[in-house]
């Protein structure tokens, strides 16, 4: 069996299943993916990214997308200001304005570049507010999450050698002592 499947796809699939059991993302919700393929390999972020690792991550995330119906947004690195790769249809549904950049491994990162090349009709947008997300290798996806972000803990703490963080969001609680809230 391919080593990348064992080190990357299997634990990522498990983490996403555990995440969904708590987050309950629905069809059409935005799901952000930030991933450092360098960190997965045990290297410093931005130093040794590979399309092969991105492909292994893509496989697990694609299965999650098919199962849940979420709309994926792949965050690029700081060299493209953490802009996001989405399908053109997603950009239209959420009124997101495309920008002119094509991510590649050295400016955008291997994951965003891979996603751009795999999608049917990709565009890059500057920002969005997602319902949940996954951060593989401390890429800082928080700027693209709706308020209020809630960490989701899973039994999987790392993908390869990269630290793993997942978050869902919930509406703000407002109104004080007299207010009544729903979950």
């Amino acid at each position: 069996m391919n080593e990348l499947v064992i080190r990357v796809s299997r634990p990522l699939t498990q983490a996403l299943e555990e995440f969904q059991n708590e987050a309950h993302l629905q069809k059409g919700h935005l799901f952000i993916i930030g991933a450092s393929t360098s960190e997965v390999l045990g290297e410093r972020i931005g130093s040794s990214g590979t399309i092969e690792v991105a492909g292994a991550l893509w496989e697990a995330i694609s299965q999650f997308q098919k199962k849940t119906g979420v709309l994926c947004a792949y965050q690029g690195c700081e060299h493209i200001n953490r802009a996001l790769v989405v399908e053109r249809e997603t950009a239209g549904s959420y009124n997101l304005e495309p920008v002119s950049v094509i991510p590649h491994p050295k400016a955008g990162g291997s994951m965003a570049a891979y996603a751009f090349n795999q999608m049917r009709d990709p565009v890059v947008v500057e920002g969005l507010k997602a319902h949940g997300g996954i951060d593989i290798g401390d890429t800082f996806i928080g700027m693209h999450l709706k308020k209020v972000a809630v960490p989701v803990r899973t039994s999987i703490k790392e993908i390869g050698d990269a630290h793993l963080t997942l978050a869902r969001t919930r509406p703000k609680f407002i109104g004080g002592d007299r207010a009544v809230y729903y979950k």
Side-chain angles (χ1 to χ4, degrees), residues 27-40:
K27 182 178 181 180
H29 278 177
L30 290 170
F31 183 70
I32 182 171
I33 299 97
S36 168
T37 60
S38 297
E39 291 278 336
V40 170

Side-chain angles (χ1 to χ4, degrees), residues 2 13 23 25 29 31 35 42 45 47 52 73 88 100 107 117 132 136 140 155 161 169:
N2 183 328
T13 297
L25 294 183
H29 278 177
F31 183 70
I45 194 168
S47 67
E52 293 78 20
R88 185 176 305 278
S100 293
N117 288 318
I136 303 166
F140 298 126
S155 65
D161 290 329
T169 61

